[in-house]
């Protein structure tokens, strides 16, 4: 179970109130320390699943203070370790409970929404590093495709700069955050445009064999590809929710966004228009399925804003997003049926 150290900065006159709130939440693994300028810091050690309910309570109580601050830090390990107690409770060996089991159940094994939001903003930032990664990934993918080298193509998949904005877009729909959605769309469109233009240029200047194994395999879409993309999209959202990135590597390979886009551009540049359309449909299918699976998974895991009016709006945004992606998926399925 992942642990988080939460540092809560509060005016010193509220020290007892903070201590009472922590005890009311069933949190015993915390310690207090004085800070300069009339402040004190509560250091709280909890499981990642318990952070959201705790932080919501603390924010509701102390957010009116201008110097109120909460910082979430990952924890590699903590001692003494938790020990299973009779009756199913957990403790640190001294009979102390670590958070409420109901809070962990409510959060369904995910990290706090603010961690998700921060990660989403990071991976959806339109920076020079992002654009360079798109260029590098496009070149690596093009070389692997032209040489029919699957290992090189997988290397381009693992770089996967386009996956981050898609996950961020799904989270933005779930949280009802138009600013994050605009940020993700802007970054995604910039990456897609850059990769597409570069691929067309390579198609115009190089010989592209449309019958090559790696290229030809990305010019057709089947219903099994849609199932694969949906399953991998759910896995990607789950790993993102847990605050771990290791599982995302498998998702990057399973639902590759850039290689089919590179195939589309190169085939279009070399005059193979029908095959280019098939590659574009594969890229579209993966994009649709990643976003649809992401929105559904985030919503199923209880990712929503703290206040009820924001949660109400987020619910509407989520519903609209699901309906939009399902509509696009139906249109894509219609094209697949017609092309058979």
């Amino acid at each position: 179970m992942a642990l988080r150290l939460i540092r809560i900065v509060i005016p010193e006159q509220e020290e007892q109130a903070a201590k009472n709130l922590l005890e009311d939440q069933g949190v015993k693994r915390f310690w207090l320390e004085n800070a300069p300028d009339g402040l004190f810091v509560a250091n709280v050690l909890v499981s990642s699943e318990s952070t959201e309910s705790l932080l919501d309570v603390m924010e509701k109580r102390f957010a009116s203070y201008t110097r109120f601050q909460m910082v979430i830090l990952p924890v590699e390990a903590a001692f003494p370790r938790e020990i299973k107690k009779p009756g199913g409770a957990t403790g640190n060996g001294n009979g102390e409970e670590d958070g409420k089991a109901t809070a962990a159940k409510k959060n369904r094994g995910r990290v706090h929404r603010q961690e998700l939001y921060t990660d989403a903003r990071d991976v959806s930032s339109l920076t020079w590093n992002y654009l360079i990664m798109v260029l590098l990934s496009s070149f690596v993918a093009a070389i692997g495709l032209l040489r029919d080298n699957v290992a090189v193509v997988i290397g381009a998949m693992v770089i996967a700069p386009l996956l981050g904005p898609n996950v961020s877009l799904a989270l933005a729909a779930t949280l009802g955050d138009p600013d994050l959605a605009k940020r993700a769309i802007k970054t995604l469109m910039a990456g897609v445009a850059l990769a597409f233009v570069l691929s067309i240029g390579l198609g115009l200047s190089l010989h592209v064999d449309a019958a090559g194994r790696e290229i030809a395999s990305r010019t057709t879409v089947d219903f099994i590809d849609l199932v694969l993309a949906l399953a991998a999209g759910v896995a990607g959202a789950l790993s993102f929710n847990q605050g771990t990135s290791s599982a995302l590597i498998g998702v990057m390979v399973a639902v590759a966004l850039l290689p089919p886009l590179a195939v589309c551009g190169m085939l279009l540049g070399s005059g193979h228009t029908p095959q280019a359309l098939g590659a574009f449909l594969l890229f579209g299918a993966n994009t649709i399925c990643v976003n649809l699976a992401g929105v559904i998974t985030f919503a199923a895991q209880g990712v929503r804003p703290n206040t009820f009016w924001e949660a109400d709006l987020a619910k509407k945004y989520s519903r609209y997003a699901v309906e939009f992606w399902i509509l696009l998926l139906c249109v894509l399925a219609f094209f697949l049926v017609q092309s058979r």
Side-chain angles (χ1 to χ4, degrees):
M1 179 185 298
L3 294 175
R4 294 292 186 267
L5 175 64
I6 306 173
R7 291 177 58 84
I8 308 172
V9 181
I10 304 174
E12 60 182 357
Q13 65 266 26
E14 294 292 347
E15 179 177 349
Q16 188 58 46
K19 184 177 180 180
N20 292 339
L21 277 177
L22 291 172
E23 290 176 347
D24 289 343
Q25 289 295 303
V27 179
K28 300 296 183 181
R29 304 177 74 180
F30 69 90
W31 61 97
L32 309 176
E33 61 183 63
N34 293 324
D37 302 325
L39 300 173
F40 88 98
V41 179
N43 298 277
V44 186
L45 186 64
V46 293
S47 66
S48 59
E49 294 88 345
S50 302
T51 58
E52 185 163 295
S53 60
L54 174 62
L55 267 62
D56 286 348
V57 170
M58 302 300 285
E59 182 180 8
K60 183 178 181 180
R61 175 62 178 80
F62 301 112
S64 59
Y65 292 99
T66 56
R67 304 180 71 181
F68 168 70
Q69 183 94 42
M70 292 190 292
V71 180
I72 307 172
L73 303 172
V75 177
E76 292 294 333
F79 297 92
R81 65 181 178 84
E82 288 187 336
I83 299 175
K84 198 74 173 180
K85 301 196 313 181
T90 59
N92 66 354
N94 298 317
E96 297 178 346
E97 293 181 355
D98 185 11
K100 289 185 176 180
T102 54
K105 183 178 180 181
K106 177 183 176 183
N107 292 342
R108 296 175 176 88
R110 62 175 174 82
V111 298
H112 186 265
R113 75 174 71 85
Q114 189 59 41
E115 288 190 66
L116 297 176
Y117 180 80
T118 302
D119 290 342
R121 282 186 62 86
D122 289 343
V123 298
S124 63
S125 298
L126 182 55
T127 63
W128 284 109
N129 282 341
Y130 168 79
L131 295 176
I132 291 172
M133 291 292 282
V134 171
L135 282 173
L136 292 175
S137 183
S138 301
F139 274 118
V140 172
I143 292 171
L145 293 166
L146 292 173
R147 292 189 174 183
D148 216 14
N149 189 322
V150 64
V152 177
V153 175
I154 290 176
M157 294 177 182
V158 173
I159 298 174
L162 300 182
L163 186 61
N166 278 282
V167 175
S168 300
L169 184 58
L171 181 63
T174 311
L175 291 176
D177 190 330
D179 291 334
L180 180 60
K182 292 175 184 177
R183 182 188 185 96
I185 292 172
K186 179 182 177 181
T187 301
L188 178 62
M189 291 297 99
V192 169
L194 181 60
F196 191 59
V197 170
L198 176 64
S199 300
I200 291 177
L202 292 174
L204 289 170
S205 57
L206 300 174
H207 171 69
V208 179
D209 182 10
R213 182 184 57 186
E214 290 299 317
I215 292 179
S217 65
R218 290 172 174 82
T219 58
T220 58
V221 188
D222 206 343
F223 285 102
I224 194 65
D225 295 313
L226 303 182
V227 176
L228 170 63
L230 285 170
V234 171
L238 285 175
S239 63
F240 196 79
N241 273 346
Q242 293 168 359
T244 59
S245 59
S246 57
L248 281 175
I249 295 177
V251 178
M252 294 170 186
V253 175
V255 188
L257 298 173
L258 205 145
L261 182 62
V263 169
C264 177
M266 289 193 298
L267 289 177
L268 192 62
S270 60
H272 299 88
T273 305
Q275 295 91 330
L277 177 60
F280 179 77
L281 289 178
L282 179 59
F283 169 76
N286 287 344
T287 302
I288 292 169
C289 291
V290 165
N291 279 276
L292 177 59
V295 173
I296 293 175
T297 304
F298 286 138
Q301 285 211 302
V303 178
R304 58 179 60 88
N306 188 19
T307 58
F308 72 89
W309 60 87
E310 290 178 322
D312 227 21
L313 183 62
K315 189 175 181 180
K316 293 180 182 178
Y317 275 118
S318 298
R319 184 174 70 250
Y320 294 154
V322 169
E323 292 172 354
F324 174 74
W325 293 120
I326 288 179
L327 176 61
L328 289 184
L329 192 62
C330 291
V331 172
L332 180 62
F334 174 78
F335 276 108
L336 293 180
V337 171
Q338 293 298 314
S339 62
R340 286 179 177 272

